[in-house]
Amino acid sequence: MIKLITQTDLETVALLHRDYYGRKILSYFRAYGCEYDFCRFYSVTDDGQEGYIVHFNSIVIITGENELPYEELSHFISMNAPFRVEAPGQILNNLPPLSGYKVLKRTEFAFTDHKPDEFDLSRLDESPALDDVYEILHEGFPTLTQYQLWITEHSHKIRRGLSRIYMYNECTTATVIYDVDDNVLIGQVATKTQARGKGYARELLYWIGHYLSQHGKTVRLFALDYRESFYREIGFTPISTENVLQEDCS
């Protein structure tokens, strides 16, 4: 059974402190609680097994134990029609086929504690203008077209201390998506087209990894297939591969 959560403290749910999916759900709970229509939380139960869902704008994230009501989950996804669905492999593999979605593979990378050689701290902006960040991201991620949703989410999370965005040399950016239980997820790494190939993204990521490691953080990053080789080449360690479902717009 899938049930909308209207009032609870998800922080007390041990399952949500277990892996990336649970921590991502917790990050949305810390940001918005159960008070917003665009960010809804659900519990999932089946014969004593438990799971949780967050539906945030166009993304659905699921986590849980092995035996969940997969037919009901498939119907939930079809009814809500998110752009992307993220869930552990044992959940995605058990879902009945979903029309209109394609499977994308992504690799999880562990950061090396590598102090950058040529990093110019004076060129680092830890509170950049979000419009400038979006301009860079839109070049790197053409599917990132919903400016208002992006800026609303990140400005809210930054104000509440739940996210950070870095800009380097006014042309490269990376975002702390969440910091939960000293596990940090980095994402939205991009460089302006005319500045690519100069090593700016590598130096920024080395600095982030070194800085956060010195503060006791475990740092991770996910990369889709077309960007995987970059992270391997700069020395990050692949630790797992998984699939996500994404709306097939072709």
Side-chain angles (χ1 to χ4, degrees), residues 21 27 69 92 99 134 138 174 180-181 195 220 224 226 230 235 239:
Y21 305 96
S27 73
L92 286 186
S99 62
Y134 183 83
H138 188 53
V180 177
D181 300 336
R220 296 288 187 265
L224 293 174
Y226 71 98
F230 169 75
I239 58 176

Side-chain angles (χ1 to χ4, degrees), residues 47-67:
D47 290 335
Q49 301 288 292
E50 68 170 334
Y52 292 88
I53 302 170
V54 62
H55 183 198
F56 178 78
N57 287 327
S58 60
I59 298 173
V60 161
I61 301 171
I62 308 167
T63 194
E65 297 170 302
N66 291 336
E67 297 301 324

Side-chain angles (χ1 to χ4, degrees), residues 106-112 184-186 219-224 227-240:
R106 69 181 183 183
T107 301
E108 181 182 7
F109 284 91
F111 274 51
T112 54
V184 178
L185 179 70
I186 301 296
V219 191
R220 296 288 187 265
L221 177 147
F222 285 103
L224 293 174
R227 305 197 78 189
E228 176 198 12
S229 61
F230 169 75
Y231 296 103
R232 288 181 182 272
E233 288 168 4
I234 66 174
F236 291 171
T237 305
I239 58 176
S240 68

Side-chain angles (χ1 to χ4, degrees), residues 148-201:
Q148 198 58 53
L149 289 178
W150 180 87
I151 201 163
T152 299
E153 175 187 357
H154 287 282
S155 60
H156 177 83
K157 292 172 74 176
I158 289 169
R159 284 197 306 271
R160 299 194 64 177
L162 299 167
S163 179
R164 297 187 298 282
I165 296 179
Y166 302 104
M167 182 183 291
Y168 185 54
N169 271 321
E170 300 182 342
C171 64
T172 296
T173 185
T175 297
V176 173
I177 304 296
Y178 70 64
D179 182 347
V180 177
D181 300 336
D182 285 333
N183 288 272
V184 178
L185 179 70
I186 301 296
Q188 298 188 349
V189 180
T191 299
K192 286 183 178 179
T193 304
Q194 69 270 22
R196 292 174 189 169
K198 298 180 179 180
Y200 296 146

Side-chain angles (χ1 to χ4, degrees), residues 1-11 13 16 20-45 51-57 59-63 73 76 80 153 156-157 160 162 180:
M1 176 183 295
I2 298 176
K3 184 178 179 181
L4 178 68
I5 295 172
T6 57
Q7 188 174 8
T8 191
D9 183 6
L10 293 180
E11 291 284 355
V13 178
L16 298 181
Y20 156 79
Y21 305 96
R23 290 190 286 268
K24 189 74 177 288
I25 291 171
L26 275 179
S27 73
Y28 284 118
F29 178 73
R30 290 176 179 178
Y32 300 105
C34 302
E35 302 173 1
Y36 296 90
D37 288 339
F38 60 80
C39 186
R40 299 188 300 275
F41 301 90
Y42 300 83
S43 61
V44 186
T45 55
Y52 292 88
I53 302 170
V54 62
H55 183 198
F56 178 78
N57 287 327
I59 298 173
V60 161
I61 301 171
I62 308 167
T63 194
L73 282 172
F76 176 91
N80 287 283
E153 175 187 357
H156 177 83
K157 292 172 74 176
R160 299 194 64 177
L162 299 167
V180 177

